[in-house]
Amino acid sequence: MKQAEENGASDAARSDGRENGYAPALGDMSAEDFRRYGHEVINWIADYFEQVERYPVLAQVEPGELHSQLPSSPPERGEPMGDILADVDRLVVPALTHWNHPSFFAYFATSSSAPGIFGELLSAAFDVKAMLWRTSPASTELEEVALDWLRQMMALPAEFGGVIYDTASVASMHAIAAAREGLNLGIREDGMSGRTDLPALRLYASEQSHSSIEKGLIALGLGQRSLRKVPSDSDFEMDTAALARMIDEDRRSGALPFCVVATIGTTSSTSVDPVPAIADICERENLWLHVDAAYAGSAAIVPELRYIFEGWERADSIVTNPHKWLFTPFDLSALYCRRLDLLRRAFTLVPEYLRTPEDDSVRNGSDYGVQLGRRFRALKLWMIIRYFGHEGLAARIREHCRLARRFTSWVGDSYDWELLAPVPFSTVCFRARTSVEDETEEERAARLDRLNERVMNAVNATGEVFLSHTKLGGVFTLRLAIGNIRTTELHVRRAWELLNEKLHEVSKEDLKTSEG
Ligand code: PLP
């Protein structure tokens, strides 16, 4: 947006205050200025994608650095658009961690694709509040269509109806609310507090499950103690014998088991819970099965990966995040549910001013959740699916999995590194494993934790690559997550080179210290 700065308000224009990018006295920006700055912004984004590798992936700023450069009070008079865009360049961009950088391998790597960005832009222009069908027929019906297309791409049965939420955290909370509604305990009407007629409700999820499940229970008033964390095995998959035992214990003690959350693609290691066995238990025990496939669900559109999802078609609800691995700009989370009627029953509340004549024949989005107004998120998903097609999207996910296998093979072939978890998708968990003579097991564990943390920090400090970590079985674990639409083998190779370079440097420093 350098151009914008040059084109920005001249002193002369400033003096009359109403031209060259300034807001008019009333109303919005003129169509002419909108075109001019709109073109500039789109050009800027095109350049950004072409040159994103010029930027350090991880923001190289100190806490408070951006804040201290911004005025502490709002401008009394409007400022010219050119100046504002120039400040995005000058101040905002340096304080960005570039999630759209192809060497972003931290957490779960994500990316926004061009058709998704166009969808966001148009959605901002339409600015619909998709609360009722009549306030947003296009949003309501495109949501049904896009989610049904995605369902078909993931080969889920037609009984699953979909609803879009902002995040998986919120989607899972709504699924748990539907499960609770299905108990017919009058909780919607009477709540839970002060009731002596209610048993303690219990939900089961593996110790590897995402914290959003626990947060959902907090938000719904079920409390943290309603979560039973089921142990996982050496591959970080839920131990189903322990699950069955815990359900049995709870029933004996008078508690009421009502829901199990299985994860396909856990956050730390992308492990896959044994969903068929969990579904058997849920069917036998009459429990709601919610599958959290926030990250991995997108991989179900790749036919040869579908075997990993075996059993999820038996779930009551499933969440997957196109904003994680389907090239959809944040945010868009898809909840699929067999019992949308229960979800609706849990949340529908229609004041007089929202009643419409077509209420009985249409879907009104606000019936399915806490929010009244809802963003037109379906547009970007619909545009992405149309632009890339099922085949194109599957090819990209398949390639990410291939790159992860490649990286896995380098780790496996190297004496200095080891894998710490199976790699079912596109995320690799590994660590450096150098050895030192005369070390106890305990000393080695502590030393390797420190070593790997230093290697990760050294790699991240280069700004070329961004990796994050987790702990698996108490062990400091590096994670390389591939999910960006612009990532190629060159980027993955460079990450591997940097890891080896930094391991060498850090080990050399250690040697010097121990000799000194
Ligand atoms: N579930 C799993 C398995 C995740 O990995 C994550 C995030 O990484 C979430 C849920 C939460 O996702 P969101 O940020 O959409 O709430």
Side-chain angles (χ1 to χ4, degrees), residues 62-76:
E62 295 300 323
E65 205 172 309
L66 173 61
H67 198 142
S68 67
Q69 293 179 77
L70 297 171
S72 55
S73 49
E76 196 54 38

Side-chain angles (χ1 to χ4, degrees), residues 107-108 166-172 208-213 263-268 292-296 319 321 323-324 330 332-333:
Y107 314 112
F108 281 127
D166 53 358
T167 57
S169 306
V170 168
S172 288
Q208 296 291 323
S209 67
H210 192 262
S211 53
S212 57
I213 303 304
T263 312
I264 300 184
T266 57
T267 315
S268 277
D292 180 354
Y295 152 70
V319 64
N321 275 355
H323 72 222
K324 277 195 165 49
F330 193 75
L332 196 162
S333 180

Side-chain angles (χ1 to χ4, degrees), residues 239-260:
D239 173 348
T240 50
L243 169 66
R245 238 182 356 258
M246 289 164 93
I247 294 170
D248 191 45
E249 273 164 26
D250 285 340
R251 286 208 195 281
R252 281 170 202 274
S253 69
L256 181 60
F258 77 106
C259 181
V260 179

